[in-house]
Amino acid sequence: MRLVLIGAPAAGKGTQARKLVEYYKLAYISTGDMLREEVSKGTELGNQAKSIMASGGLVPDELIIAIVQERIKQDDCKSGFILDGFPRTEVQAEKLEEMVHIDKAIYINAPDELMLQRITARETCPKCGASYNKISLPSKVAGICDVCQEGLIQRKDDTLEAGKARLKTFHDQSEPLVEYYKKKGILFEVDGTGQLEDITKAIIQELGALA
Ligand code: ADP
């Protein structure tokens, strides 16, 4: 099963992806996590991406397409994968379609005001990428990742200013993908304002037949 997840920043893509990966035993591919790793290693790509990411823009299509193209060739992707954060533009979606068949695009729909609240209260693990929310989804021990015990941080782009810019980028460049996948007949839309478990259940109910 090959899935893509679409949604505004902080809509819960990463959180849902991690549940689905566990349930269906799929490879998890987060382009945001991959780029953050490049930034922390200080690679040429990381240096190119750093300021773009901090300001809430998108890294150039050709860069991210090349990364994904390599990643999905790896062995762990053979029995399926979830793409979290890719595609984010129509060009990326078209290229992806040339690379591989996608079974379902899951759109987690949630309003901007709630996303801004979540962005500014979000804490992220710099090691495994798990994310928490100081108010609605705290880690078991304050400031420490439940999964790998690393100290949690606030991402550089999880400020109010960068959050607003990311939401604008989402509406301008990524939201058209909802129509794109609707036309292909593979879109599943889920309300992202509900309880995490209910959202996971709704997705699994939809995907059940594909698994
Ligand atoms: P979000 O919480 O906004 O979904 P991500 O962790 O998925 O954040 O991505 C963080 C940043 O990495 C994005 O704001 C963007 O700058 C960059 N990025 C990630 N995926 C892509 C992509 N497919 N195309 C272009 N830029 C990307």
Side-chain angles (χ1 to χ4, degrees), residues 84-100:
D84 165 9
F86 184 96
R88 258 179 156 96
T89 65
E90 249 178 82
V91 172
Q92 294 178 15
E94 281 159 8
K95 286 285 173 197
L96 179 65
E97 210 173 301
E98 286 169 23
M99 290 180 223
V100 77

Side-chain angles (χ1 to χ4, degrees), residues 2 29-31 34 45 60-78 81 83 86-87 91-100 102:
R2 301 188 192 102
I29 307 173
S30 156
T31 45
M34 288 166 86
L45 168 64
D61 282 336
E62 56 282 10
L63 282 185
I64 199 79
I65 288 166
I67 295 179
V68 170
Q69 202 153 20
E70 281 312 303
R71 179 66 186 86
I72 62 176
K73 279 186 203 153
Q74 289 173 17
D75 275 356
D76 64 330
C77 294
K78 287 215 169 79
F81 55 77
L83 277 165
F86 184 96
V91 172
Q92 294 178 15
E94 281 159 8
K95 286 285 173 197
L96 179 65
E97 210 173 301
E98 286 169 23
M99 290 180 223
V100 77
I102 296 297

Side-chain angles (χ1 to χ4, degrees), residues 9 13 31-32 35-36 53 57 59 85 88 92 122 155 166:
K13 300 185 298 293
T31 45
L35 289 170
R36 277 184 288 279
M53 291 171 76
V59 308
R88 258 179 156 96
Q92 294 178 15
R122 178 149 81 173
R155 263 169 53 178
R166 284 158 65 206

